[in-house]
Amino acid sequence: MTNYYEALGVGKNASADEIKKAYKKQAIKFHPDKNQGDKTSEEKFKEINEAYDCLKDPQKKAAYDRFGHEAYKRGGMGNAGANGGAGGPHGFGGFDFNSAGGFSDIFDNIFSDFMGGGAGAGAAGGRAKASMRGNDLQYAVDISLEEAFNGLKREVKVRKQSKCKSCDGTGSKSKKKPHTCPTCNGAGKIRVQQGFFAVSQTCHDCHGSGVKVDDPCSDCSGTGVSMESKEIEITIPKGIDNGTTLRVSGEGEAGFNGAPSGDMFIRVNIKPHRIYKRNGNNVFMEAPVDFIKAILGGEIEVPNLDGKDLTVKIPKGTQPGDVLKVRGKGFHLLHSDSRGDLMIQLDLKIPKKVSKKQEEMLRKIEKEGIDSGDEGFFSKIFG
């Protein structure tokens, strides 16, 4: 299904006058009288009329901006006339057979008419009001391994549907709270008798919201929401793992006519590090050690993710590839003082060149012999 704005050739922020002018221009171009026998122009003419029927109405436009064509399924625009038919493209008489509830809702509507309309109306009303909650938002942030280790605060810039400041989200100039729609009694739907069956349609008066505003705010066209750019500070706790999603309650899009806002979900992506690798709460790294220190033992300095150097003892007789464990220097367990370990794999470094004096000393050691546990060890290295 073609995007309504694309169908009219306007942008999403186009004014009502721009939308009207664009419609007239397109209508003249594709009018059937001007393109007799051209099926493509006929379909295009229907398409632009459908688009204009939606975008000229502030509340329908707001629902479309929020849900797109899903607004039909959610009850935002599926009233009679929106598609030139009996109430929307997905079902008989405006009833969406693919929507949540399916046949059970249909039978609820039929039998509630026979039984006085009590239970069905209540269920429909609950669904109508629940559907006006603001959309959840999803964003991703990239952080370094050091930031994941230490935790941080990060500002996220978003452009979202927020509570209208002029009417305080009520949709009313006088800031009065919306009242129950008298046409559907707050159900968001009305029932139409079609022969033996009673079918449900979106209320044409409140467009499925279940509420009405008598004096619509001019800034938000009575919806209670407007677009806003905002910086939201989020706290990323120390020890967070790659791919973790954080929830920021109430920072999603605002709901229509004062309905609750959605939530914001932040996915945290941790960038690879050139030195460290993470496995759970443990941190792995390689550290070079010269062969003399490996034989005699000693100390080396290694950097840690908190920005401080650690002094690590090298035991005598350390072998290539040995792993030293430094307890409690790994990642924090989320929301806990417990920590993983730092695992250091030693990379034995053999000099490519030695001085004559050093060579003489090494030759002397070779002659004296060292019990390395591996016969011919030094001859393999220096032979």
Side-chain angles (χ1 to χ4, degrees):
M1 190 176 288
T2 305
N3 181 284
Y4 285 160
Y5 291 100
E6 291 178 2
L8 295 180
V10 296
K12 193 172 182 180
N13 296 322
S15 66
D17 285 341
E18 288 172 333
I19 291 172
K20 188 175 182 179
K21 287 178 183 177
Y23 166 69
K24 286 182 177 179
K25 182 179 178 181
Q26 295 282 64
I28 292 171
K29 181 179 179 181
F30 294 102
H31 198 282
D33 290 345
K34 189 177 179 181
N35 302 274
Q36 292 184 9
D38 187 341
K39 291 292 183 182
T40 302
S41 294
E42 184 180 335
E43 290 300 318
K44 183 68 177 176
F45 186 71
K46 290 178 181 178
E47 187 178 276
I48 61 177
N49 273 282
E50 179 182 314
Y52 183 60
D53 183 74
C54 167
L55 300 182
K56 71 180 180 181
D57 185 304
Q59 286 190 307
K60 287 184 181 180
K61 181 177 183 295
Y64 182 76
D65 287 345
R66 183 176 174 191
F67 299 119
H69 291 293
E70 286 293 311
Y72 286 103
K73 295 181 182 179
R74 299 185 186 208
M77 293 158 46
N79 48 26
N83 288 281
H90 298 289
F92 173 68
F95 214 97
D96 181 4
F97 287 88
N98 296 315
S99 64
F103 283 100
S104 63
D105 282 349
I106 298 173
F107 287 115
D108 280 347
N109 289 327
I110 293 170
F111 288 109
S112 66
D113 269 10
F114 292 148
M115 303 302 289
R127 284 193 302 276
K129 289 170 183 170
S131 69
M132 301 309 289
R133 175 184 178 275
N135 281 340
D136 292 332
L137 295 177
Q138 294 186 6
Y139 285 87
V141 295
D142 296 331
I143 65 173
S144 67
L145 196 64
E146 289 91 342
E147 290 172 326
F149 184 88
N150 296 298
L152 73 154
K153 293 186 183 294
R154 173 70 62 87
E155 298 252 332
V156 178
K157 294 181 179 180
V158 300
R159 180 166 175 77
K160 64 172 186 170
Q161 184 173 275
S162 299
K163 183 169 70 173
C164 175
K165 292 181 172 61
S166 299
C167 65
D168 199 27
T170 61
S172 164
K173 282 183 182 178
S174 57
K175 298 186 179 181
K176 291 181 181 178
K177 290 185 178 181
H179 61 83
T180 301
C181 173
T183 304
C184 64
N185 292 321
K189 294 182 180 181
I190 56 175
R191 291 181 177 80
V192 179
Q193 194 75 30
Q194 295 188 357
F196 177 75
F197 294 98
V199 294
S200 177
Q201 291 183 351
T202 300
C203 176
H204 58 81
D205 204 13
C206 66
H207 305 289
S209 68
V211 295
K212 281 279 290 180
V213 176
D214 292 328
D215 56 340
C217 167
S218 56
D219 288 344
C220 66
S221 302
T223 62
V225 297
S226 59
M227 295 303 293
E228 175 189 42
S229 295
K230 185 177 180 181
E231 289 188 352
I232 298 171
E233 185 179 79
I234 60 170
T235 299
I236 299 176
K238 57 187 176 182
I240 195 164
D241 208 347
N242 186 51
T244 300
T245 298
L246 302 174
R247 177 180 177 180
V248 187
S249 297
E251 286 295 355
E253 292 195 323
F256 287 126
N257 301 118
S261 296
D263 299 326
M264 176 182 285
F265 292 90
I266 307 291
R267 178 185 169 87
V268 179
N269 300 318
I270 301 175
K271 294 178 284 189
H273 200 279
R274 64 185 183 88
I275 297 175
Y276 306 101
K277 290 184 179 179
R278 181 179 182 177
N279 185 358
N281 291 322
N282 294 329
V283 182
F284 290 81
M285 67 174 295
E286 285 188 356
V289 59
D290 65 75
F291 76 102
I292 299 295
K293 198 165 286 183
I295 296 170
L296 301 178
E299 294 180 344
I300 59 171
E301 297 284 327
V302 297
N304 197 23
L305 282 164
D306 59 6
K308 300 175 183 177
D309 287 343
L310 288 174
T311 300
V312 180
K313 290 185 177 181
I314 305 297
K316 290 181 180 180
T318 292
Q319 300 298 306
D322 279 359
V323 176
L324 304 180
K325 179 188 290 187
V326 185
R327 294 189 179 278
K329 293 299 182 180
F331 274 80
H332 283 82
L333 187 66
L334 273 181
H335 312 300
S336 169
D337 291 331
S338 298
R339 295 179 64 173
D341 302 324
L342 174 62
M343 314 295 286
I344 305 171
Q345 184 173 29
L346 298 175
D347 183 13
L348 192 62
K349 295 297 182 184
I350 306 297
K352 292 182 178 180
K353 293 181 180 180
V354 293
S355 66
K356 287 186 177 181
K357 185 176 181 180
Q358 289 170 334
E359 184 176 350
E360 289 173 1
M361 292 174 65
L362 290 170
R363 293 295 181 187
K364 186 177 181 181
I365 293 172
E366 184 183 22
K367 287 179 181 179
E368 291 180 0
I370 296 179
D371 184 8
S372 65
D374 183 7
E375 188 177 352
F377 173 71
F378 281 98
S379 63
K380 287 180 183 178
I381 296 176
F382 301 106

